[in-house]
Amino acid sequence: MPDYLKCAITDDLMDEPVVIQSGFTYEKKMILLHFSNGNRFCPISRQDVDPNYMIPNHNIRKATEDFLAKNPWAF
């Protein structure tokens, strides 16, 4: 599995990838959990971020769908 399709928190494929203010992409559920624990920083860069700033990463979502279509064993 390509690393860019995996969440840095879980190391699993992302179903609902979102980009946060630092520019890094995470699985939405996991970054929300990270923020709900009182953290206000990016897990990779450690940069302070606004936890309300999240944008769906449609490119990673499409790449994940394409990867799974070609590699059904990965799901």
Side-chain angles (χ1 to χ4, degrees), residues 62-75:
K62 176 68 172 133
T64 300
E65 290 170 359
D66 291 345
F67 175 79
L68 289 174
K70 294 174 184 169
N71 303 283
W73 55 266
F75 184 64

Side-chain angles (χ1 to χ4, degrees), residues 12-56:
D12 290 330
L13 282 175
M14 293 182 273
D15 292 324
E16 194 174 358
V18 293
V19 178
I20 64 170
Q21 197 172 26
S22 64
F24 288 96
T25 299
Y26 299 95
E27 174 62 37
K28 185 176 183 178
K29 290 178 215 158
M30 297 314 299
I31 198 66
L32 285 173
L33 179 62
H34 173 76
F35 291 145
S36 74
N37 288 330
N39 300 308
R40 298 292 181 257
F41 60 87
C42 171
I44 293 176
S45 71
R46 308 307 256 188
Q47 171 186 351
D48 288 337
V49 294
D50 179 350
N52 298 309
Y53 180 91
M54 275 183 244
I55 299 171

